[in-house]
């Protein structure tokens, strides 16, 4: 069929997420899971790596419908606070955790360590952490509804026929793409807008995410790692043009994206091919000469992607694909295909995926996790005092003074014992 059914999309998402989870967990499961020593190394990661800012996050104990924060290092962006709120709500409102789970959730862009199974928001090849949704999940239901309302009010045919990007200058590729477009023969065209804001001004000049729905084409360029706004782009009903590179960071939903079927990929090694792809996407006739190789290549990749995903054969000639009507139809289909993914990623789907991740993580634990967080911390204190007496840890407030870990655990045990759910 031209457009897959909602049942097909749900099945497709379930299969892709299962493959993602298996790729993450199976290496750990084959190697015997997580033992006490690794747990100690993970909790004291800030001292071991000597990267204090990279240890921001929460160490949380889940049992039944309770979530007890064993440790919280608050970042300056509010991510730690939002994730604490989300995990507590997830535990209290969903099915109980019959098997207790203890995890450390890193809230920064980069993983604490590439060799330990932290729960991370971003990952790439070689990182052994567990990929989970970022702090957008706290208000995803409301955010998704607001963006969908804006997208419905602006049909694809009535949007600005332009490629748009605005973002902070935290990645050289953003500046390089802007300079390439401004310095090219197409640099003065009004249908390409690349705004890389200066460090001092970007926060108050950033536009509401829903305003991106004014444009038919949105450019996705990663920041420090992956770009978090991509999750919102999925429900924008715009064609996504994504700049990809060898240092490929991604988030959990990116595994649902198929190039040339959900988005148009750009490869940064060939700027001429980039420009030809962008101009053909915008339906510009000047690509006839320079885009002789690029456009048929896009048409062929589109055909392969459709056969792979929905079993539909597409045979598009170069002449048709270069035409304004042919280019418009392809881009409109890319936007519709991505919109189907975005509409299927509901708050319930995200919550169920996080619960699955946490429960499967619990099955990897090879150490005893008492259902009572007080008893768990007490056992950890005794174990660390015997096996890791000299291990140190930076305090929750990030002060330069380091604590002996088993003494810190003793104090934390006393705090939890006297106040079952302390506030930070």
């Amino acid at each position: 069929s031209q457009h897959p059914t909602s049942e097909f999309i749900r099945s497709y998402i379930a299969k892709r997420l299962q493959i993602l989870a298996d790729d993450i967990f199976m290496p750990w499961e084959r190697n015997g899971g997580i033992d006490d020593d690794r747990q100690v190394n993970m909790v004291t990661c800030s001292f071991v790596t000597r990267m204090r800012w990279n240890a921001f996050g929460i160490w949380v104990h889940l049992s039944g419908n309770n979530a007890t924060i064993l440790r919280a290092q608050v970042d300056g962006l509010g991510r730690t606070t939002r994730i604490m709120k989300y995990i507590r709500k997830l535990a209290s409102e969903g099915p109980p955790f019959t098997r207790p789970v203890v995890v450390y959730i890193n809230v920064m862009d980069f993983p604490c360590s590439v060799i330990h199974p932290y729960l991370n928001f971003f990952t790439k090849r070689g990182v052994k952490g567990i990929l989970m949704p970022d702090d957008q999940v706290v208000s995803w239901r409301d955010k998704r509804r607001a963006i969908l309302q804006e997208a419905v009010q602006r049909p694809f045919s009535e949007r600005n026929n332009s490629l748009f990007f605005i973002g902070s200058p935290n990645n050289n590729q953003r500046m390089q793409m802007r300079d390439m477009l401004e310095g090219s023969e197409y640099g003065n065209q009004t249908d390409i807008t690349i705004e890389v804001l200066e460090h001092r001004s970007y926060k108050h000049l950033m536009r509401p995410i829903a305003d991106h729905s004014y444009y038919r084409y949105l450019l996705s360029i990663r920041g420090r790692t992956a770009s978090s706004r991509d999750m919102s782009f999925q429900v924008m009903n715009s064609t996504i043009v994504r700049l990809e590179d060898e240092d490929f960071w991604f988030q959990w939903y990116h595994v649902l994206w198929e190039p040339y079927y959900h988005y148009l990929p750009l490869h940064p090694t060939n700027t001429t091919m980039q420009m030809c792809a962008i101009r053909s996407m915008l339906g510009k006739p000047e690509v006839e000469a320079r885009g002789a190789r690029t456009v048929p290549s896009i048409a062929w990749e589109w055909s392969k992607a459709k056969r792979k995903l929905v079993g539909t054969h597409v045979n598009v000639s170069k002449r048709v694909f270069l035409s304004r009507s042919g280019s418009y139809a392809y881009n409109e289909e890319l936007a519709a295909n991505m919109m189907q993914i975005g509409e299927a990623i509901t708050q319930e789907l995200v919550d169920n995926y996080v619960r699955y991740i946490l429960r499967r993580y619990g099955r990897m634990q090879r150490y005893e996790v008492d259902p009572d967080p007080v008893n768990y911390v007490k056992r950890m204190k005794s174990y660390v005092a015997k096996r890791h007496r000299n291990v140190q840890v930076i305090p929750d407030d990030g002060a330069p003074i380091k604590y002996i870990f088993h003494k810190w655990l003793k104090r934390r045990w006393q705090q939890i014992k006297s106040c079952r759910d302390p506030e930070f």
Side-chain angles (χ1 to χ4, degrees):
S1 61
Q2 182 70 16
H3 297 290
T5 63
S6 56
E7 291 78 9
F8 178 90
I9 295 297
R10 286 194 293 269
S11 175
Y12 166 79
I13 291 176
K15 290 178 181 177
R16 285 290 180 104
L17 291 181
Q18 187 63 56
I19 292 172
L20 171 64
D22 289 343
D23 288 343
I24 292 171
F25 283 104
M26 288 182 67
W28 289 106
E29 293 167 346
R30 286 195 296 263
N31 292 326
I34 308 168
D35 57 17
D36 273 307
D37 294 332
R38 188 175 294 276
Q39 176 77 351
V40 171
N41 288 333
M42 290 170 63
V43 178
T44 59
C45 173
S46 57
F47 172 73
V48 174
T49 62
R50 300 187 182 277
M51 296 176 68
R52 288 173 49 201
W53 62 275
N54 239 356
F56 292 129
I58 61 171
W59 186 27
V60 59
H61 177 285
L62 298 162
S63 181
N65 289 110
N66 298 315
T68 303
I69 308 301
L70 305 179
R71 185 188 187 197
Q73 289 192 278
V74 181
D75 64 317
L77 303 174
R79 287 177 173 176
T80 302
T81 303
R82 289 191 290 270
I83 284 296
M84 282 196 296
K85 177 182 177 181
Y86 175 72
I87 293 296
R88 282 171 169 156
K89 183 178 180 181
L90 193 76
S92 63
E93 296 181 354
F97 286 87
T98 56
R99 181 169 187 162
V101 184
V102 174
V103 295
Y104 195 104
I105 302 175
N106 167 50
V107 302
M108 298 304 291
D109 291 344
F110 294 98
C112 290
S113 169
V114 298
I115 63 171
H116 291 316
Y118 293 95
L119 268 62
N120 300 314
F121 298 156
F122 308 91
T123 192
K124 66 176 182 178
R125 184 178 300 174
V127 177
K128 298 182 179 179
I130 311 300
L131 192 61
M132 69 168 288
D134 64 9
D135 55 308
Q136 293 186 80
V137 298
V138 177
S139 57
W140 175 241
R141 179 180 283 106
D142 296 335
K143 187 176 183 179
R144 174 177 173 272
R145 184 188 301 117
I147 297 175
L148 281 172
Q149 289 175 352
E150 294 287 338
V152 170
Q153 293 175 5
R154 303 185 184 99
F156 189 84
S157 59
E158 299 177 7
R159 300 187 183 193
N160 296 334
N161 185 49
S162 58
L163 176 68
F164 179 75
F165 173 85
I166 184 170
S168 58
N170 54 11
N171 189 329
N172 289 333
Q173 287 185 341
R174 295 181 174 184
M175 279 78 80
Q176 291 169 0
M177 177 62 77
R178 178 197 60 191
D179 296 342
M180 182 196 77
L181 293 174
E182 290 179 350
S184 69
E185 61 189 279
Y186 309 112
N188 295 323
Q189 298 290 334
T190 58
D191 50 21
I192 299 178
T193 303
I194 309 294
E195 297 185 34
V196 182
L197 304 174
E198 298 299 328
H199 278 287
R200 290 178 293 179
S201 61
Y202 78 87
K203 288 188 177 180
H204 68 273
L205 291 177
M206 290 293 288
R207 303 186 187 183
I209 192 68
D211 286 0
H212 287 68
S213 61
Y214 284 102
Y215 305 92
R216 287 183 186 171
Y217 312 105
L218 301 177
L219 182 60
S220 171
I221 310 177
R222 73 179 184 89
R224 292 186 181 90
T225 49
S227 178
S228 296
R229 77 183 71 183
D230 286 355
M231 189 167 181
S232 299
F233 283 0
Q234 295 176 127
V235 288
M236 205 71 70
N237 199 27
S238 298
T239 302
I240 298 177
V241 182
R242 190 179 188 206
L243 186 65
E244 299 180 342
D245 57 18
E246 295 180 356
D247 193 25
F248 196 77
W249 289 89
F250 62 93
Q251 292 186 274
W252 68 280
Y253 53 84
H254 284 130
V255 301
L256 308 176
W257 295 14
E258 186 69 27
Y260 298 101
Y261 184 82
H262 294 115
Y263 70 97
L264 179 65
L266 295 180
H267 302 284
T269 56
N270 192 324
T271 56
T272 301
M273 297 285 275
Q274 282 182 355
M275 281 308 309
C276 289
I278 291 173
R279 303 308 294 177
S280 65
M281 177 194 68
L282 296 171
K284 300 301 177 181
E286 67 266 17
V287 302
E288 285 280 1
R290 298 183 63 188
R293 289 189 304 154
T294 304
V295 174
S297 174
I298 295 175
W300 171 243
E301 294 293 345
W302 177 35
S303 177
K304 289 198 301 182
K306 292 203 72 167
R307 287 200 303 270
K308 176 181 177 180
L309 266 65
V310 297
T312 303
H313 178 71
V314 182
N315 187 10
V316 183
S317 68
K318 172 188 169 185
R319 180 182 59 80
V320 172
F321 204 84
L322 279 169
S323 67
R324 287 180 180 269
S325 59
S327 176
Y328 175 86
Y330 172 60
N331 294 312
E332 186 178 33
E333 181 170 326
L334 284 180
N337 293 341
M338 183 63 83
M339 189 71 168
Q340 285 190 310
I341 296 294
E343 289 176 334
I345 300 181
T346 61
Q347 185 73 54
E348 290 72 23
L349 183 144
V350 176
D351 293 347
N352 289 335
Y353 174 70
V354 176
R355 289 192 184 99
Y356 174 78
I357 291 295
L358 292 172
R359 295 180 194 282
R360 190 161 177 180
Y361 190 97
R363 295 197 296 269
M364 289 200 308
Q365 296 172 151
R366 296 296 178 261
Y367 47 87
E368 180 185 351
V369 180
D370 195 285
D372 188 338
V374 174
N375 294 335
Y376 169 74
V377 175
K378 182 180 180 180
R379 190 196 74 83
M380 277 291 293
K381 173 180 67 70
S382 301
Y383 178 81
V384 173
K386 293 178 181 177
R387 296 286 301 272
H388 302 277
R389 286 191 63 84
N390 296 323
V391 170
Q392 294 178 299
V393 64
I394 288 175
D396 297 341
D397 61 3
I401 302 172
K402 298 184 180 69
Y403 292 129
I404 298 297
F405 188 39
H406 70 86
K407 293 182 179 180
W408 180 92
L409 284 169
K410 181 179 180 180
R411 189 183 67 170
R412 193 72 185 100
W413 167 64
Q414 292 170 342
Q415 289 175 339
I416 301 176
K417 188 177 180 181
S418 60
C419 181
R420 305 292 295 193
D421 194 12
E423 295 294 333
F424 289 87

